[in-house]
């Protein structure tokens, strides 16, 4: 400061400062005068920037103090500032010359009194309850006998020993311990990671996934148990797919994790009792059930036997059932000889009566009548009607054959006419007929030239007329022969009407064939 007073402006008693000089001097004065201080007040506006820095206000009924916690300092805060919470902040005052403001760089935040903590707890509880995380219908039932139990607690405390001892006494089970800090600033994030880590394990893997999770801690003050009141812990417990038992504190202690867990135990020892049944009780129950099953089976057999005996007494004896049929059989066997004798006598009488009716005169009359009937039938069986039917059928076949020949000839004539018409149409559409009418075809090799531009670009040209081909620059090519005659005489021309001559273009040039 003395350096600033060395060169005063002539005629002026007060020295001159630059803006940076005065801002730096104010900052040094603030930092050297106050140093590390603690301030009590109510948290106002809270804003977390994308960079991770935390900006908030501490206020009382008259003034506001701007506070900043840098990204690297946020993880060390035991309590994250929330609007409306009364806290005590610890840090250093500094100035920000670019905006002519001063603020406090906060390194530690503590809740100011148990009343403020309870108010914050009640606020979080209402928020989570409004979201439905406390609803009974979302709580999962505990497995009756879990194979593996995951315990989230401190590995060095008495809690884990109490749980293991109680499990060993009741029903020994495999236990996976996830060590965490059970108080302080690291408590909430470590417990959250433990619950999520157990849920991410693969069932049946190298490190198998637990069937049940116990989050346990011994008793303490509300500040000591505050890590289990954090929102991230409550949400992790609510999102757990594995059934979770909360055993934080003693029976009178209540934390947020107790409300979102599937079951709350008053103590860690009680959590172990809820997790597994008593092995001896289970064995006794199994033996009791086995005895009851044996007794029930014996009683069922005895009842069925008694019922069978009762039914058997109601049935008649076999001898009684056979007495009546046996009597009927004896009666039928006694009456059989008499019935046979009677039938034979009756048949003999009938035969004698039939023999008496067969006299010789009657036989002759019967034979004569049958002979006359046979003669009448033979006269009716003449061959003449059959011959007439055969002749009629032959006449019919002859008529059908004549009709078939007529139809075949007509069909052949019709097809022959169609073939002739198609041949004439083919000759009309052939380009040879077009040549007969005075046209010519211009080629270059195997390519037909149709335009002047194509002719200028092509090589040697060849022109085909009706009587032969001409090479431009060579002698006319001989006309194609077929059997010693000209191409035009190779095939007999079918009689057809002459095509009308096409009109000649006005410019005198030959028209295109295609």
């Amino acid at each position: 400061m003395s350096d600033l007073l060395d060169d005063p402006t002539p005629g002026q008693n007060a020295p001159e400062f630059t803006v940076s000089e005065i801002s730096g001097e104010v900052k040094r004065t603030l930092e050297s005068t106050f140093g590390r201080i603690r301030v009590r007040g109510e948290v106002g506006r809270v804003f977390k920037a994308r960079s991770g820095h935390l900006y908030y206000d501490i206020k009382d009924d008259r003034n506001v103090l701007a506070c900043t916690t840098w990204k690297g300092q946020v993880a060390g805060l035991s309590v994250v500032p929330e609007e409306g919470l009364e806290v005590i902040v610890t840090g250093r005052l500094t100035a920000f010359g670019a905006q002519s403001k001063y603020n406090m760089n906060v390194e530690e935040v503590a809740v100011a009194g148990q009343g403020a903590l309870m108010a914050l707890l009640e606020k979080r509880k209402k928020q989570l309850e409004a979201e439905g995380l406390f609803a009974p219908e979302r709580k999962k039932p505990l497995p009756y006998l879990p194979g593996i139990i995951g315990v989230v607690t401190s590995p060095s405390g008495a809690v884990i020993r109490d749980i293991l001892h109680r499990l060993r006494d009741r029903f020994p089970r495999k236990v996976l311990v996830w060590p965490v800090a059970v108080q302080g600033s690291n408590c909430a994030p470590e417990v959250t990671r433990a619950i999520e880590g157990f849920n991410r394990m693969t069932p049946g893997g190298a490190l198998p996934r637990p069937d049940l999770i116990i989050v346990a801690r011994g008793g303490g003050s509300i500040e000591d148990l505050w890590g289990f009141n954090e929102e991230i812990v409550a949400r992790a417990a609510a999102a757990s797919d594995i059934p979770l038992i909360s055993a934080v504190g003693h029976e009178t202690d209540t934390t947020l994790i107790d409300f979102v867990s599937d079951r709350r135990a008053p103590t860690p020892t009680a959590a172990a009792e809820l997790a597994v049944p008593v092995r001896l009780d289970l064995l006794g129950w199994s033996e009791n059930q086995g005895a009851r099953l044996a007794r029930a089976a014996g009683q069922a057999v005895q009842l069925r036997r008694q019922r069978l005996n009762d039914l058997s007494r109601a049935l008649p004896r076999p001898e009684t059932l056979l007495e009546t049929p046996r009597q009927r059989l004896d009666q039928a066997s006694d009456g059989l000889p008499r019935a046979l004798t009677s039938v034979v006598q009756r048949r003999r009488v009938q035969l004698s009566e039939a023999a008496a009716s067969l006299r010789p005169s009657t036989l002759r009359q019967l034979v004569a009548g049958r002979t006359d009937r046979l003669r009448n039938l033979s006269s009716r069986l003449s061959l003449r009607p059959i011959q007439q039917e055969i002749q009629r059928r032959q006449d019919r076949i002859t008529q059908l054959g004549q009709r078939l020949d007529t139809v075949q000839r007509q069909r052949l004539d019709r097809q022959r006419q169609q073939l002739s018409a198609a041949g004439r149409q083919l000759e009309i559409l052939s380009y040879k007929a077009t040549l007969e009418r005075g046209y010519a075809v211009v080629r270059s090799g195997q390519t037909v030239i149709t335009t002047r531009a194509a002719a200028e670009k092509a090589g040697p040209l060849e022109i085909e007329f009706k009587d032969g081909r001409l090479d431009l620059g060579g002698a006319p090519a001989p006309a194609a022969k077929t059997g010693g005659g000209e191409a035009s005489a190779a095939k007999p021309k079918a009689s057809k009407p002459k095509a009308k001559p096409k009109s000649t273009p006005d410019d005198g040039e030959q028209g295109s064939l295609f």
Side-chain angles (χ1 to χ4, degrees):
M1 184 117 187
S2 58
D3 296 337
L4 301 175
L5 303 176
D6 291 342
D7 190 19
T9 303
Q12 296 290 340
N13 294 327
E16 293 180 354
F17 299 93
T18 64
V19 174
S20 298
E21 289 173 345
I22 194 64
S23 297
E25 189 63 26
V26 170
K27 181 176 181 179
R28 285 192 296 270
T29 303
L30 278 175
E31 292 178 352
S32 61
T33 301
F34 291 95
R36 184 178 178 86
I37 59 174
R38 300 174 73 237
V39 180
R40 179 170 182 161
E42 180 183 345
V43 179
R45 175 190 58 89
V46 179
F47 172 71
K48 188 173 184 178
R50 293 184 179 180
S51 59
H53 306 320
L54 192 63
Y55 301 94
Y56 50 98
D57 297 334
I58 300 296
K59 62 183 180 178
D60 55 16
D61 56 346
R62 291 179 295 177
N63 296 292
V64 177
L65 174 62
C67 298
T68 304
T69 301
W70 306 121
K71 178 180 179 181
Q73 299 171 325
V74 172
L77 297 179
S78 59
V79 176
V80 178
E82 295 184 15
E83 187 173 355
L85 182 66
E86 187 175 2
V87 296
I88 299 176
V89 296
T90 304
R92 298 178 181 276
L93 278 181
T94 184
F96 184 48
Q99 296 183 356
S100 298
K101 294 182 178 180
Y102 72 94
N103 63 357
M104 183 176 181
N105 176 229
V106 177
E107 302 171 357
E108 179 60 33
V109 179
V111 178
Q114 186 172 352
L117 285 177
M118 295 305 296
L120 178 60
L121 177 61
E122 189 64 25
K123 176 184 176 183
R124 290 178 179 174
K125 181 179 176 182
K126 290 181 179 179
Q127 177 185 355
L128 297 179
E129 185 176 9
E131 295 179 12
L133 299 185
F134 298 169
E137 58 270 13
R138 59 162 299 278
K139 296 184 182 296
K140 297 175 285 296
L142 303 182
Y144 179 71
L145 186 60
I148 300 174
I149 300 175
V151 179
V152 179
T153 187
S154 172
S156 58
V159 172
I160 186 60
R161 292 194 297 271
D162 293 342
I163 292 176
L164 294 177
H165 178 70
R166 198 58 176 165
L167 290 176
R168 185 167 53 251
D169 290 344
R170 291 176 65 85
F171 205 121
R173 297 280 85 188
K174 293 182 179 178
V175 177
L176 292 178
V177 179
W178 194 302
V180 296
V182 293
Q183 69 181 47
S185 60
N186 295 329
C187 174
E190 290 185 6
V191 172
T192 302
R193 286 194 297 268
I195 296 174
E196 294 174 349
F198 275 138
N199 279 271
R200 282 195 295 266
M201 288 184 177
T202 304
L207 192 60
R209 178 181 177 179
D211 302 316
L212 179 68
I213 298 176
I214 298 177
V215 179
R217 187 205 187 281
S221 63
I222 187 173
E223 290 83 3
D224 296 337
L225 302 178
W226 190 254
F228 298 93
N229 288 321
E230 294 292 347
E231 185 177 351
I232 57 173
V233 176
R235 293 190 181 277
S240 175
D241 295 329
I242 304 174
L244 186 142
I245 298 177
S246 170
V248 177
H250 296 304
E251 188 170 0
T252 57
D253 298 325
T254 303
T255 57
L256 278 183
I257 194 174
D258 295 332
F259 295 98
V260 298
S261 61
D262 300 304
R263 193 73 174 271
R264 177 185 181 269
T267 61
T269 304
E273 294 177 355
L274 291 174
V276 295
V278 179
R279 185 172 181 271
L280 295 179
D281 293 346
L282 187 59
L283 289 175
W285 179 85
S286 300
E287 293 176 357
N288 185 26
Q289 294 299 319
R292 291 181 58 188
L293 181 62
R295 288 195 302 271
Q299 291 176 0
V301 171
Q302 184 64 26
L303 289 175
R304 297 298 189 277
R305 184 179 294 112
Q306 183 65 33
R307 180 63 175 166
L308 182 60
N309 292 334
D310 296 341
L311 293 175
S312 65
R313 286 195 297 269
L315 292 174
R317 291 176 298 171
E319 294 80 4
T320 306
L321 294 175
L322 294 176
E323 285 178 356
T324 302
R326 188 179 288 114
Q327 291 176 0
R328 289 198 300 266
L329 179 60
D330 293 341
Q331 293 175 0
S333 59
D334 292 341
L336 183 59
R338 293 191 302 270
L340 289 176
T341 302
S342 175
V343 169
V344 170
Q345 290 178 356
R346 188 169 59 252
R347 296 296 183 185
R348 185 180 288 118
V349 172
Q350 292 176 357
L351 181 60
S352 298
E353 293 175 353
S357 63
L358 292 176
R359 297 176 181 178
S361 58
T362 305
L363 289 175
R364 283 193 297 271
Q365 293 177 0
L366 181 61
V367 170
R370 296 298 175 90
T371 303
D372 293 340
R373 186 180 179 186
L374 179 61
R375 189 179 297 111
N376 292 332
L377 291 175
S378 62
S379 64
R380 291 174 62 186
L381 292 175
S382 176
L383 295 177
R384 191 168 185 178
I386 298 176
Q387 292 175 352
Q388 292 177 357
E389 180 67 19
I390 292 174
Q391 184 62 35
R392 187 176 63 80
R393 296 289 178 89
Q394 288 178 351
D395 295 343
R396 177 64 176 168
I397 291 174
T398 302
Q399 293 176 3
L400 292 175
Q402 293 174 357
R403 291 178 60 186
L404 180 62
D405 292 340
T406 304
V407 171
Q408 184 67 19
R409 285 194 301 271
Q410 292 176 356
R411 181 180 180 185
L412 291 175
D413 292 343
R414 185 168 60 254
Q415 291 181 349
R416 188 179 292 110
Q417 292 174 4
Q418 292 176 356
L419 182 61
S420 300
R424 289 193 299 271
Q425 186 71 18
L426 180 63
E427 290 182 359
I428 292 173
L429 297 177
S430 173
Y431 84 99
K432 294 289 187 180
T434 307
L435 294 179
E436 291 290 339
R437 295 198 297 271
Y439 290 90
V441 178
V442 180
R443 294 186 179 87
S444 176
Q446 299 298 326
T447 306
V448 177
I449 305 301
T450 59
T451 62
R452 178 177 179 179
E456 291 177 353
K457 295 179 181 179
L461 301 178
E462 180 186 65
I463 303 176
E464 181 180 0
F465 299 96
K466 68 177 182 178
D467 56 349
R469 298 185 180 185
L470 174 63
D471 248 342
L472 294 185
K481 302 288 184 178
T482 304
E486 293 183 356
S488 61
K491 297 181 182 178
K493 295 184 179 179
S495 60
K496 61 180 179 179
K498 292 184 181 181
K500 293 182 180 181
K502 296 183 179 180
S503 59
T504 305
D506 296 339
D507 55 358
E509 292 183 359
Q510 180 176 340
S512 173
L513 294 178
F514 302 98

